[in-house]
Amino acid sequence: MEEQYKEVFSFLHDRNPNARNVAMANILPLTVAGSPLRSLFFSGMKSGGLNPTSDSEVIRDLKLLCRDQPATAHDAFKALVNLSDSHLLAPSLSEPLFLAFIVSYILNPTSVLSDLACMVLSNITTHSGPCVALLKQEIEVIAFPDGKTSNYYPTQSLCATSPPPSKDFKGTPQKERALSLLIDAFASSATLEHESTQRKGKLHFLASVFANISTQPQGREFLLTPCKSICTTKEAKIEAPLSSLLPFTEHPDTIRRGGVASTIKNCCFVHEAHKALLSPETDSFRLSFANEPVPGLDILPRVLLPLAGPEEFDLEDTELLLPELQFLPSTKVREKDSILRLTHVETLLLLCTTRWGRDVQRKSGVYEIIRTMHETETDENVITHIERLVNMLKRDEAPEEATTGSIREAEESDEDEKIAEV
């Protein structure tokens, strides 16, 4: 059986497009987890050591077939989604040329299979190597003349399922940071009410990419450092990339809001950024890794809204709440996914690791929201974390010592108090 399928592999680079399509359709079932012949795709590939990882012929073919005709490209992308859960494929799928194609393909609004490309990128960035590669990756784009609906065209996206704007389109290419463009595409691809009609894909899985990137120190620094890209208008205020993700903590799609929730949580591991994270955008703060002052991100309403339900508060408690949390409608629904509720509570716990963070939460009605949430919570793990949070907020504080503007960290020595990055 193995020899027969190896013969089928040879048709993946056949000159006849129909032969490639049939071959791709026949080998796709072999790529799923648990397939007894899945190892054929990793034959000869090794991980680690001094020698760089080399592609097997079939993997090279799959990468090329992602540019083929729609049916063939669909199966090729889907095969890479299935196979990219293996660490063996991470170096191959994050090499500069293919990474530039994947990112450019996602960025092009006309790309038919952009959601599958997002899944590939999400899978490979679960490994640190591709995360570092994506943080460094630059994309070649051509800016559109004024009056066009899109800002740019990513030149390396060109293929059968991602056509260029027009045959006579011309311009001078320039390089832009891949992650800046991905965040802009993600933010413009959907709103809380409806999906964008300008794109072929929804790009929800990019949220998982950002969550993966935020597990790396360089990734958190990128998300918290103000920057501008080709998408930034002259009138727009330059903000930290994380600010573009905040509106989606209550998006209807679980993947999108879950990835954003994890990204916010991971950024809270940067203790020196807690003031910027909890302050309004009218305030700015200096961070050691940012060349420019960082405008406030005001993440607290975005973290608390998913934890709030339809319960009514008495007037005294209502006055303690943030304006966004006051007088919520009776139709308000608390986050249904227990994992995401836990993620938001862990975010609040991380913000409690600085005295300033605890004080802000005490003044913002966090306890009142968490108290009502506790009354209806059924998940034991979430309940445990809620009780930890309440203990942090309600405990007595020692007199705060004078500092020189740095954020004073809470002294936490108990190993059980540690929260893992996700």
Side-chain angles (χ1 to χ4, degrees):
M1 184 67 74
E2 288 189 14
E3 294 302 321
Q4 291 175 337
Y5 274 108
K6 285 181 179 179
E7 291 181 15
V8 176
F9 285 172
S10 65
F11 287 95
L12 294 177
H13 47 262
D14 194 276
R15 299 180 69 178
N16 186 335
N18 290 330
R20 297 196 300 271
N21 185 24
V22 172
M24 193 64 246
N26 277 275
I27 71 167
L28 178 58
L30 307 182
T31 64
V32 299
S35 170
L37 297 177
R38 194 171 189 251
S39 59
L40 290 175
F41 295 93
F42 306 106
S43 178
M45 299 183 71
K46 296 181 180 180
S47 177
L50 298 177
N51 297 324
T53 303
S54 58
D55 288 352
S56 62
E57 185 176 47
V58 65
I59 296 300
R60 286 197 298 272
D61 287 339
L62 290 178
K63 289 161 67 174
L64 288 172
L65 289 174
C66 289
R67 304 170 183 262
D68 213 315
Q69 299 305 310
T72 306
H74 174 275
D75 287 350
F77 268 120
K78 201 166 183 180
L80 290 180
V81 171
N82 293 339
L83 295 170
S84 56
D85 62 353
S86 171
H87 69 282
L88 292 173
L89 223 55
S92 172
L93 299 184
S94 58
E95 55 90 9
L97 286 178
F98 186 71
L99 192 58
F101 165 70
I102 284 286
V103 172
S104 299
Y105 188 89
I106 293 169
L107 295 174
N108 192 337
T110 65
S111 297
V112 178
L113 305 172
S114 55
D115 282 334
L116 287 175
C118 289
M119 292 180 193
V120 173
L121 195 59
S122 173
N123 280 352
I124 64 175
T125 52
T126 57
H127 307 284
S128 60
C131 283
V132 173
L134 183 57
L135 281 162
K136 297 178 180 178
Q137 186 71 42
E138 291 186 326
I139 300 299
E140 192 176 85
V141 299
I142 297 177
F144 280 137
D146 292 337
K148 297 290 184 179
T149 55
S150 299
N151 292 316
Y152 61 89
Y153 168 63
T155 60
Q156 291 159 295
S157 66
L158 181 62
C159 63
T161 57
S162 184
S166 63
K167 293 182 179 179
D168 58 349
F169 178 73
K170 295 180 181 179
T172 304
Q174 64 186 75
K175 290 192 173 183
E176 292 283 334
R177 191 166 184 175
L179 270 173
S180 296
L181 298 178
L182 286 173
I183 285 182
D184 180 78
F186 176 82
S188 62
S189 65
T191 64
L192 290 179
E193 291 78 23
H194 60 273
E195 311 300 337
S196 169
T197 57
Q198 297 180 351
R199 287 186 172 272
K200 298 291 185 181
K202 298 177 180 178
L203 310 191
H204 294 324
F205 275 88
L206 281 183
S208 300
V209 175
F210 305 141
N212 294 337
I213 290 293
S214 67
T215 63
Q216 306 296 314
Q218 309 99 302
R220 294 192 284 267
E221 290 178 5
F222 162 76
L223 289 164
L224 293 168
T225 301
C227 63
K228 62 182 296 184
S229 71
I230 195 172
C231 305
T232 308
T233 62
K234 293 181 179 179
E235 299 80 16
K237 183 179 179 180
I238 299 177
E239 298 178 329
L242 181 63
S243 64
S244 298
L245 308 182
L246 296 177
F248 300 107
T249 56
E250 288 197 296
H251 191 273
D253 186 84
T254 305
I255 298 297
R256 179 175 281 255
R257 70 177 187 272
V260 169
S262 294
T263 305
I264 295 171
K265 170 190 162 181
N266 289 340
C267 287
C268 292
F269 280 98
V270 185
H271 288 177
E272 66 169 305
H274 281 192
K275 283 192 175 182
L277 288 167
L278 291 170
S279 299
E281 62 179 10
T282 51
D283 298 334
S284 295
F285 301 88
R286 287 282 183 182
L287 301 183
S288 61
F289 49 81
N291 294 327
E292 300 293 332
V294 180
L297 290 155
D298 198 20
I299 70 169
L300 204 50
R302 300 298 184 179
V303 175
L304 289 176
L305 274 169
L307 302 180
E311 298 86 1
E312 293 185 2
F313 294 88
D314 58 38
L315 184 59
E316 184 178 350
D317 285 342
T318 300
E319 291 177 348
L320 295 173
L321 302 179
L322 295 171
E324 297 88 342
L325 278 295
Q326 295 180 5
F327 307 109
L328 295 176
S330 59
T331 55
K332 175 69 173 72
V333 178
R334 187 171 283 111
E335 172 60 58
K336 295 180 180 179
D337 191 306
S338 62
I339 295 177
L340 300 191
R341 294 198 302 274
L342 177 61
T343 300
H344 289 304
V345 174
E346 288 182 330
T347 299
L348 297 173
L349 275 168
L350 284 169
L351 293 170
C352 281
T353 57
T354 59
R355 171 66 181 269
W356 197 83
R358 295 193 296 278
D359 288 342
V360 169
Q361 292 188 63
R362 290 177 181 128
K363 297 173 184 176
S364 304
V366 172
Y367 169 72
E368 284 66 29
I369 294 293
I370 293 299
R371 183 186 63 199
T372 56
M373 175 189 174
H374 185 268
E375 293 172 358
T376 59
E377 185 57 57
T378 57
D379 187 281
E380 288 298 327
N381 198 19
V382 178
I383 291 173
T384 300
H385 282 73
I386 288 175
E387 291 170 352
R388 285 175 53 192
L389 176 60
V390 170
N391 288 336
M392 295 284 281
L393 294 176
K394 287 298 183 178
R395 74 182 187 184
D396 294 330
E397 298 278 5
E400 190 169 15
E401 297 176 3
T403 62
T404 58
S406 61
I407 299 177
R408 182 170 173 242
E409 299 178 9
E411 296 179 359
E412 301 289 348
S413 59
D414 190 347
E415 289 296 320
D416 292 336
E417 293 296 314
K418 292 187 177 180
I419 298 175
E421 298 169 13
V422 292

